[in-house]
Amino acid sequence: MRTRIFLASMLILLVFVPAQADEIIQSVDFTTDDLIFSSSQGFDIIYLKNGDVTNQVGEPQIPVKLLQVALPPGSRVEQVVVTKMESQILPHDYQLFPVQPPQILSLMNQSIAFVQPKPKAYSLMGEYPGKLVEYSESGFLGGYKLAGICIYPV
C-alpha cells in the first residue's frame, strides 16, 4: 500500500495543572527542507533533521521530534492540544519502511532477519499514527521538571 504524506507545522497548547490551571504555548514549524528522503529494500524512508524515528517494530517508520518544555514548580501536564495547524501534501506516494528491531553495534556483522510490515498497521485507513502530538514523559534538568512532547510532523 502506498501512502500520501502530509507535512505539518503546528501551534501546540500544553495545559498543565499547578495550584490553578495554566497554559504554555509552543510554536513548531517544519518545512520540506527539514526532511531527508532515502529508500531501502523497495521502501521509502523519511528522516527529520535533528529528529528521531518511531520504534514500533513492523509498523511504518516515521519521523518524530521530541520537544522538551520546562514546567513551573509543582505542576503536571494535564493535556497537550494542537490549536492551529498548517499542512501540505508531499509529492509522490510513499511505501514507508517498516521499523526494524534494534541491533547491537558490536554485532553489526551478524545479519538480522528483515521484519516485514505488519498488515494491520499498513492497512489502516487515515493518518498514521493517528495523532500529531502526544505527551511522552517527564524528567528533570537543573531542578526543573520537563515535559516531553512527541511531535509527528508527517
Side-chain angles (χ1 to χ4, degrees):
M1 179 185 105
R2 297 191 82 62
T3 308
R4 181 127 344 234
I5 303 288
F6 296 85
L7 176 66
S9 292
M10 57 199 82
L11 190 62
I12 300 171
L13 174 66
L14 179 66
V15 179
F16 60 92
V17 179
Q20 62 185 38
D22 213 343
E23 302 173 348
I24 296 175
I25 298 175
Q26 291 286 314
S27 178
V28 183
D29 294 308
F30 301 100
T31 68
T32 54
D33 291 337
D34 296 323
L35 300 176
I36 301 166
F37 297 89
S38 66
S39 61
S40 178
Q41 300 185 28
F43 292 94
D44 300 299
I45 302 173
I46 304 174
Y47 294 105
L48 178 67
K49 291 178 186 173
N50 301 314
D52 207 342
V53 293
T54 53
N55 61 3
Q56 300 298 317
V57 175
E59 295 189 9
Q61 177 180 291
I62 60 170
V64 62
K65 178 74 174 176
L66 179 61
L67 177 67
Q68 299 282 356
V69 179
L71 299 175
S75 64
R76 63 181 169 80
V77 173
E78 189 70 21
Q79 186 177 22
V80 179
V81 179
V82 175
T83 59
K84 182 181 177 186
M85 183 187 82
E86 294 178 14
S87 65
Q88 70 181 77
I89 298 174
L90 297 179
H92 313 295
D93 287 333
Y94 297 89
Q95 177 69 22
L96 294 173
F97 188 79
V99 173
Q100 299 300 300
Q103 188 169 3
I104 299 171
L105 292 177
S106 61
L107 302 176
M108 289 295 283
N109 58 347
Q110 296 179 8
S111 65
I112 295 178
F114 181 79
V115 175
Q116 295 296 325
K118 288 184 179 177
K120 184 177 180 182
Y122 278 75
S123 64
L124 292 173
M125 299 303 284
E127 300 169 358
Y128 178 86
K131 54 192 161 209
L132 294 171
V133 297
E134 71 178 324
Y135 174 63
S136 172
E137 58 187 60
S138 292
F140 290 90
L141 180 65
Y144 290 94
K145 186 174 184 178
L146 299 175
I149 310 299
C150 288
I151 304 168
Y152 304 99
V154 297

